[in-house]
Amino acid sequence: MGDKAVITCALNGVLTDPKQHNVPVTPEQMAREAKAAFNAGASIMHIHLRQQEPNKGHLASWDVNVSREIQQAIREACPGVIINHTTGTSGPKYQGALDCVRETRPEIAACNAGSLNYLKVKSDNTWAWPPMMFDNAVEKVQDYLDVMKEAGTIPEFECFDVGIVRCVGMYVQTGMYSGPLEYNFVMGVASGMPADPELLPILLKLKRPKSHWQVTAIGRAEIWPLHQRCADLGGHLRTGLEDTFYLADGTKVTSNGQLIEAIAACARRAGREIASPAEARRIFGTRH
């Protein structure tokens, strides 16, 4: 079972506008997209919450009731599925994210493990958006870890840069966290780690021994060699409309299911089977 690949589907993200892209927002839409991904081999659904009012679906929400409704709809559509809840926020106000984890107790939740200047430059050499800081100070990380421990939720440590990978080891060394270790190497953000397969062996040297790891590859068709390298090296796999809209041949997808089919094929080319939700729970040590 150790060689089996756990597949996570990142259903919708926080930056994707449903008016421009075919991303799910409502509980019904989230359940439908989760079902397509589940049928294609995903056993974990990474969810972001959006405001449910008309024409507000592009805006983030931290409404605990919205979280409950979405999780319930996904679980009804996908028996045994594992929920991975977002917690990502910029700025000093993140109580809503803490409340969602505390009140809904997802099996896994993202724990952004360090800060990053979140930047992108357009082809005309101007900023794609006003330069911003994705701030994740140690005190903020500790708040998330404390709530996750209280909720019985396993943190997935999101690492946007090489130094952040090393920080996770320090959180363990100092006693901030003790428990199953799950790294998510986020690669492809313009101001973070590039989506370069040659970087993976270095990251694997820097992570803690015997910890689980996966890759989030952000970009277009160029990300697929990275997914294949991740599968070849024994990592777990993630994709979805949060991360990309494109297959390796440049085809633009309309559903998460298409992306999960493609990433499951990466695992099979590496000679690995796809983990069921029950197997994923045993691998990661999540509660039942």
Side-chain angles (χ1 to χ4, degrees):
M1 186 176 72
D3 290 329
K4 291 196 174 184
V6 178
I7 297 179
T8 296
C9 182
L11 288 167
N12 58 347
V14 68
L15 298 174
T16 40
D17 188 340
K19 291 182 179 178
Q20 297 176 341
H21 305 287
N22 195 38
V23 294
V25 170
T26 67
E28 295 77 17
Q29 293 166 348
M30 293 286 279
R32 185 180 65 241
E33 280 292 298
K35 182 66 171 174
F38 190 75
N39 290 343
S43 56
I44 301 176
M45 303 296 160
H46 177 62
I47 63 169
H48 285 253
L49 313 177
R50 305 296 191 88
Q51 295 186 21
Q52 300 295 301
E53 294 78 11
N55 300 315
K56 294 292 183 82
H58 62 294
L59 299 174
S61 170
W62 294 107
D63 186 323
V64 171
N65 290 326
V66 171
S67 179
R68 283 200 185 99
E69 290 170 13
I70 286 173
Q71 291 187 54
Q72 180 179 350
I74 290 173
R75 288 194 175 101
E76 288 175 357
C78 310
V81 75
I82 298 168
I83 298 294
N84 177 329
H85 204 294
T86 183
T87 63
T89 57
S90 292
K93 296 180 180 179
Y94 52 93
Q95 187 62 47
L98 297 176
D99 290 343
C100 282
V101 173
R102 180 183 290 109
E103 297 299 325
T104 72
R105 302 178 68 242
E107 294 94 326
I108 301 172
C111 183
N112 294 284
S115 299
L116 182 77
N117 282 317
Y118 207 85
L119 312 174
K120 186 176 181 180
V121 176
K122 296 189 293 187
S123 58
D124 64 0
N125 296 324
T126 62
W127 295 116
W129 53 74
M132 62 170 284
M133 168 64 78
F134 184 30
D135 59 312
N136 295 288
V138 172
E139 296 80 8
K140 184 176 181 181
V141 173
Q142 184 71 74
D143 287 343
Y144 280 122
L145 291 175
D146 289 346
V147 165
M148 290 179 199
K149 182 177 182 180
E150 176 188 334
T153 298
I154 290 179
E156 179 186 87
F157 288 101
E158 316 294 321
C159 301
F160 291 79
D161 218 338
V162 174
I164 299 177
V165 177
R166 302 175 76 189
C167 288
V168 174
M170 297 183 201
Y171 300 153
V172 175
Q173 279 183 283
T174 58
M176 285 177 61
Y177 177 71
S178 61
L181 262 184
E182 217 179 300
Y183 289 81
N184 181 15
F185 303 138
V186 183
M187 305 171 74
V189 174
S191 53
M193 293 189 287
D196 185 347
E198 293 184 16
L199 189 54
L200 279 182
I202 297 171
L203 298 175
L204 296 184
K205 284 199 300 184
L206 296 175
K207 75 176 184 68
R208 298 276 292 190
K210 299 180 181 178
S211 54
H212 299 292
W213 64 280
Q214 67 174 9
V215 167
T216 290
I218 297 171
R220 297 195 175 207
E222 77 280 357
I223 65 176
W224 287 94
L226 174 57
H227 283 310
Q228 188 61 58
R229 184 70 169 139
C230 175
D232 292 344
L233 290 173
H236 298 294
L237 301 168
R238 162 182 151 155
T239 191
L241 294 176
E242 174 174 4
D243 304 337
T244 190
F245 300 107
Y246 296 92
L247 298 175
D249 64 0
T251 301
K252 189 172 184 179
V253 302
T254 57
S255 171
N256 283 286
Q258 296 163 277
L259 293 169
I260 299 303
E261 287 174 4
I263 209 163
C266 289
R268 294 188 180 104
R269 281 192 293 271
R272 299 171 65 192
E273 296 180 23
I274 308 304
S276 69
E279 290 168 333
R281 282 191 168 88
R282 289 198 291 272
I283 289 168
F284 288 153
T286 62
R287 69 176 191 276
H288 293 267

